PDB file of all heavy atoms in Angstrom:
ATOM      1  N   GLY A  15       6.345 -33.506  -6.164  1.00 83.00           N
ATOM      2  CA  GLY A  15       6.971 -32.369  -5.542  1.00 83.00           C
ATOM      3  C   GLY A  15       5.964 -31.680  -4.601  1.00 83.00           C
ATOM      4  O   GLY A  15       6.404 -31.262  -3.505  1.00 83.00           O
ATOM      5  N   GLU A  16       4.778 -31.513  -5.020  1.00 84.00           N
ATOM      6  CA  GLU A  16       3.772 -30.902  -4.108  1.00 84.00           C
ATOM      7  C   GLU A  16       3.469 -31.768  -2.959  1.00 84.00           C
ATOM      8  O   GLU A  16       3.217 -31.302  -1.848  1.00 84.00           O
ATOM      9  CB  GLU A  16       2.546 -30.720  -5.045  1.00 84.00           C
ATOM     10  CG  GLU A  16       2.570 -29.675  -6.125  1.00 84.00           C
ATOM     11  CD  GLU A  16       1.373 -29.566  -6.954  1.00 84.00           C
ATOM     12  OE1 GLU A  16       0.482 -30.395  -6.829  1.00 84.00           O
ATOM     13  OE2 GLU A  16       1.317 -28.583  -7.810  1.00 84.00           O
ATOM     14  N   ARG A  17       3.567 -33.077  -3.148  1.00 84.00           N
ATOM     15  CA  ARG A  17       3.280 -33.988  -2.004  1.00 84.00           C
ATOM     16  C   ARG A  17       4.412 -33.857  -0.930  1.00 84.00           C
ATOM     17  O   ARG A  17       4.174 -33.775   0.257  1.00 84.00           O
ATOM     18  CB  ARG A  17       3.207 -35.437  -2.466  1.00 84.00           C
ATOM     19  CG  ARG A  17       3.084 -36.436  -1.410  1.00 84.00           C
ATOM     20  CD  ARG A  17       2.746 -37.833  -1.873  1.00 84.00           C
ATOM     21  NE  ARG A  17       2.762 -38.780  -0.793  1.00 84.00           N
ATOM     22  CZ  ARG A  17       1.762 -38.898   0.068  1.00 84.00           C
ATOM     23  NH1 ARG A  17       0.720 -38.072   0.013  1.00 84.00           N
ATOM     24  NH2 ARG A  17       1.847 -39.807   1.077  1.00 84.00           N
ATOM     25  N   VAL A  18       5.646 -33.699  -1.431  1.00 82.00           N
ATOM     26  CA  VAL A  18       6.739 -33.549  -0.497  1.00 82.00           C
ATOM     27  C   VAL A  18       6.680 -32.248   0.310  1.00 82.00           C
ATOM     28  O   VAL A  18       6.789 -32.247   1.460  1.00 82.00           O
ATOM     29  CB  VAL A  18       8.084 -33.586  -1.219  1.00 82.00           C
ATOM     30  CG1 VAL A  18       9.214 -33.156  -0.360  1.00 82.00           C
ATOM     31  CG2 VAL A  18       8.343 -35.024  -1.789  1.00 82.00           C
ATOM     32  N   ARG A  19       6.329 -31.154  -0.450  1.00 84.00           N
ATOM     33  CA  ARG A  19       6.168 -29.799   0.176  1.00 84.00           C
ATOM     34  C   ARG A  19       5.092 -29.859   1.205  1.00 84.00           C
ATOM     35  O   ARG A  19       5.073 -29.288   2.207  1.00 84.00           O
ATOM     36  CB  ARG A  19       5.913 -28.777  -0.894  1.00 84.00           C
ATOM     37  CG  ARG A  19       7.229 -28.421  -1.648  1.00 84.00           C
ATOM     38  CD  ARG A  19       6.995 -27.130  -2.487  1.00 84.00           C
ATOM     39  NE  ARG A  19       6.096 -27.302  -3.512  1.00 84.00           N
ATOM     40  CZ  ARG A  19       6.373 -27.859  -4.729  1.00 84.00           C
ATOM     41  NH1 ARG A  19       7.644 -28.191  -4.965  1.00 84.00           N
ATOM     42  NH2 ARG A  19       5.507 -27.893  -5.723  1.00 84.00           N
ATOM     43  N   GLY A  20       3.867 -30.536   0.803  1.00 81.00           N
ATOM     44  CA  GLY A  20       2.807 -30.614   1.712  1.00 81.00           C
ATOM     45  C   GLY A  20       3.094 -31.419   2.994  1.00 81.00           C
ATOM     46  O   GLY A  20       2.698 -30.941   4.128  1.00 81.00           O
ATOM     47  N   LEU A  21       3.948 -32.422   2.904  1.00 80.00           N
ATOM     48  CA  LEU A  21       4.344 -33.156   4.129  1.00 80.00           C
ATOM     49  C   LEU A  21       5.262 -32.364   4.994  1.00 80.00           C
ATOM     50  O   LEU A  21       5.125 -32.431   6.251  1.00 80.00           O
ATOM     51  CB  LEU A  21       5.102 -34.457   3.665  1.00 80.00           C
ATOM     52  CG  LEU A  21       4.208 -35.550   3.022  1.00 80.00           C
ATOM     53  CD1 LEU A  21       5.137 -36.696   2.529  1.00 80.00           C
ATOM     54  CD2 LEU A  21       3.162 -36.118   4.107  1.00 80.00           C
ATOM     55  N   LYS A  22       6.105 -31.600   4.293  1.00 77.00           N
ATOM     56  CA  LYS A  22       7.028 -30.715   5.149  1.00 77.00           C
ATOM     57  C   LYS A  22       6.136 -29.572   5.832  1.00 77.00           C
ATOM     58  O   LYS A  22       6.455 -29.290   7.090  1.00 77.00           O
ATOM     59  CB  LYS A  22       8.047 -30.067   4.217  1.00 77.00           C
ATOM     60  CG  LYS A  22       9.077 -30.994   3.702  1.00 77.00           C
ATOM     61  CD  LYS A  22      10.038 -30.249   2.808  1.00 77.00           C
ATOM     62  CE  LYS A  22      11.152 -31.134   2.291  1.00 77.00           C
ATOM     63  NZ  LYS A  22      12.125 -30.394   1.413  1.00 77.00           N
ATOM     64  N   GLN A  23       5.203 -29.104   5.258  1.00 75.00           N
ATOM     65  CA  GLN A  23       4.338 -28.038   5.865  1.00 75.00           C
ATOM     66  C   GLN A  23       3.516 -28.682   6.995  1.00 75.00           C
ATOM     67  O   GLN A  23       3.307 -27.985   8.007  1.00 75.00           O
ATOM     68  CB  GLN A  23       3.441 -27.415   4.853  1.00 75.00           C
ATOM     69  CG  GLN A  23       4.162 -26.428   3.804  1.00 75.00           C
ATOM     70  CD  GLN A  23       3.301 -25.976   2.706  1.00 75.00           C
ATOM     71  OE1 GLN A  23       2.091 -26.321   2.656  1.00 75.00           O
ATOM     72  NE2 GLN A  23       3.894 -25.166   1.888  1.00 75.00           N
ATOM     73  N   GLN A  24       3.110 -29.902   6.788  1.00 79.00           N
ATOM     74  CA  GLN A  24       2.362 -30.582   7.856  1.00 79.00           C
ATOM     75  C   GLN A  24       3.237 -31.158   9.007  1.00 79.00           C
ATOM     76  O   GLN A  24       2.770 -31.722   9.967  1.00 79.00           O
ATOM     77  CB  GLN A  24       1.605 -31.750   7.256  1.00 79.00           C
ATOM     78  CG  GLN A  24       0.551 -31.318   6.253  1.00 79.00           C
ATOM     79  CD  GLN A  24      -0.064 -32.420   5.380  1.00 79.00           C
ATOM     80  OE1 GLN A  24       0.186 -33.580   5.702  1.00 79.00           O
ATOM     81  NE2 GLN A  24      -0.661 -32.090   4.309  1.00 79.00           N
ATOM     82  N   LYS A  25       4.618 -30.987   8.761  1.00 75.00           N
ATOM     83  CA  LYS A  25       5.550 -31.451   9.823  1.00 75.00           C
ATOM     84  C   LYS A  25       5.413 -32.957  10.073  1.00 75.00           C
ATOM     85  O   LYS A  25       5.394 -33.450  11.147  1.00 75.00           O
ATOM     86  CB  LYS A  25       5.396 -30.729  11.059  1.00 75.00           C
ATOM     87  CG  LYS A  25       5.759 -29.217  10.928  1.00 75.00           C
ATOM     88  CD  LYS A  25       5.649 -28.526  12.322  1.00 75.00           C
ATOM     89  CE  LYS A  25       5.970 -27.027  12.073  1.00 75.00           C
ATOM     90  NZ  LYS A  25       5.837 -26.227  13.357  1.00 75.00           N
ATOM     91  N   ALA A  26       5.313 -33.680   8.822  1.00 78.00           N
ATOM     92  CA  ALA A  26       5.260 -35.225   8.942  1.00 78.00           C
ATOM     93  C   ALA A  26       6.568 -35.711   9.429  1.00 78.00           C
ATOM     94  O   ALA A  26       7.595 -35.006   9.620  1.00 78.00           O
ATOM     95  CB  ALA A  26       4.945 -35.731   7.554  1.00 78.00           C
ATOM     96  N   SER A  27       6.546 -36.977   9.701  1.00 78.00           N
ATOM     97  CA  SER A  27       7.735 -37.670  10.264  1.00 78.00           C
ATOM     98  C   SER A  27       8.937 -37.672   9.243  1.00 78.00           C
ATOM     99  O   SER A  27       8.654 -37.616   8.033  1.00 78.00           O
ATOM    100  CB  SER A  27       7.526 -39.101  10.650  1.00 78.00           C
ATOM    101  OG  SER A  27       7.168 -39.890   9.437  1.00 78.00           O
ATOM    102  N   ALA A  28      10.118 -37.651   9.702  1.00 74.00           N
ATOM    103  CA  ALA A  28      11.339 -37.550   8.833  1.00 74.00           C
ATOM    104  C   ALA A  28      11.323 -38.788   7.918  1.00 74.00           C
ATOM    105  O   ALA A  28      11.700 -38.690   6.746  1.00 74.00           O
ATOM    106  CB  ALA A  28      12.594 -37.545   9.629  1.00 74.00           C
ATOM    107  N   GLU A  29      10.929 -39.944   8.474  1.00 76.00           N
ATOM    108  CA  GLU A  29      10.961 -41.188   7.647  1.00 76.00           C
ATOM    109  C   GLU A  29       9.973 -40.942   6.477  1.00 76.00           C
ATOM    110  O   GLU A  29      10.266 -41.425   5.301  1.00 76.00           O
ATOM    111  CB  GLU A  29      10.600 -42.398   8.534  1.00 76.00           C
ATOM    112  CG  GLU A  29      11.582 -42.763   9.513  1.00 76.00           C
ATOM    113  CD  GLU A  29      11.436 -41.829  10.717  1.00 76.00           C
ATOM    114  OE1 GLU A  29      10.474 -41.066  10.860  1.00 76.00           O
ATOM    115  OE2 GLU A  29      12.335 -41.878  11.711  1.00 76.00           O
ATOM    116  N   GLN A  30       8.819 -40.549   6.709  1.00 81.00           N
ATOM    117  CA  GLN A  30       7.774 -40.414   5.710  1.00 81.00           C
ATOM    118  C   GLN A  30       8.278 -39.433   4.553  1.00 81.00           C
ATOM    119  O   GLN A  30       8.107 -39.706   3.345  1.00 81.00           O
ATOM    120  CB  GLN A  30       6.517 -39.964   6.197  1.00 81.00           C
ATOM    121  CG  GLN A  30       5.318 -39.941   5.234  1.00 81.00           C
ATOM    122  CD  GLN A  30       3.942 -39.579   5.793  1.00 81.00           C
ATOM    123  OE1 GLN A  30       3.951 -39.161   7.024  1.00 81.00           O
ATOM    124  NE2 GLN A  30       2.939 -39.606   5.032  1.00 81.00           N
ATOM    125  N   ILE A  31       8.909 -38.301   5.022  1.00 80.00           N
ATOM    126  CA  ILE A  31       9.406 -37.286   4.108  1.00 80.00           C
ATOM    127  C   ILE A  31      10.489 -37.896   3.281  1.00 80.00           C
ATOM    128  O   ILE A  31      10.559 -37.752   1.982  1.00 80.00           O
ATOM    129  CB  ILE A  31       9.807 -36.064   4.836  1.00 80.00           C
ATOM    130  CG1 ILE A  31       8.578 -35.310   5.534  1.00 80.00           C
ATOM    131  CG2 ILE A  31      10.538 -35.054   3.858  1.00 80.00           C
ATOM    132  CD1 ILE A  31       9.037 -34.142   6.288  1.00 80.00           C
ATOM    133  N   GLU A  32      11.458 -38.584   3.877  1.00 79.00           N
ATOM    134  CA  GLU A  32      12.558 -39.187   3.098  1.00 79.00           C
ATOM    135  C   GLU A  32      12.062 -40.153   2.094  1.00 79.00           C
ATOM    136  O   GLU A  32      12.548 -40.261   1.019  1.00 79.00           O
ATOM    137  CB  GLU A  32      13.558 -39.804   4.155  1.00 79.00           C
ATOM    138  CG  GLU A  32      14.329 -38.889   4.987  1.00 79.00           C
ATOM    139  CD  GLU A  32      15.184 -39.559   5.941  1.00 79.00           C
ATOM    140  OE1 GLU A  32      15.252 -40.810   5.891  1.00 79.00           O
ATOM    141  OE2 GLU A  32      15.860 -38.905   6.854  1.00 79.00           O
ATOM    142  N   GLU A  33      11.084 -40.947   2.406  1.00 83.00           N
ATOM    143  CA  GLU A  33      10.486 -41.958   1.520  1.00 83.00           C
ATOM    144  C   GLU A  33       9.936 -41.255   0.286  1.00 83.00           C
ATOM    145  O   GLU A  33      10.209 -41.693  -0.874  1.00 83.00           O
ATOM    146  CB  GLU A  33       9.434 -42.749   2.208  1.00 83.00           C
ATOM    147  CG  GLU A  33       8.754 -43.842   1.309  1.00 83.00           C
ATOM    148  CD  GLU A  33       7.698 -44.608   2.065  1.00 83.00           C
ATOM    149  OE1 GLU A  33       7.554 -44.457   3.259  1.00 83.00           O
ATOM    150  OE2 GLU A  33       6.983 -45.360   1.340  1.00 83.00           O
ATOM    151  N   GLU A  34       9.132 -40.153   0.471  1.00 84.00           N
ATOM    152  CA  GLU A  34       8.624 -39.429  -0.658  1.00 84.00           C
ATOM    153  C   GLU A  34       9.627 -38.755  -1.457  1.00 84.00           C
ATOM    154  O   GLU A  34       9.539 -38.528  -2.587  1.00 84.00           O
ATOM    155  CB  GLU A  34       7.516 -38.455  -0.188  1.00 84.00           C
ATOM    156  CG  GLU A  34       6.253 -39.207   0.550  1.00 84.00           C
ATOM    157  CD  GLU A  34       5.652 -40.199  -0.387  1.00 84.00           C
ATOM    158  OE1 GLU A  34       5.536 -39.950  -1.583  1.00 84.00           O
ATOM    159  OE2 GLU A  34       5.128 -41.230   0.182  1.00 84.00           O
TER     160      GLU A  34
END
Side-chain angles (χ1 to χ4, degrees):
E16 291 175 353
R17 176 168 175 76
V18 170
R19 287 192 291 276
L21 290 172
K22 288 180 178 180
Q23 291 174 356
Q24 297 165 16
K25 299 183 178 178
S27 66
E29 294 80 8
Q30 187 179 3
I31 293 175
E32 287 177 7
E33 181 181 349
E34 297 302 325

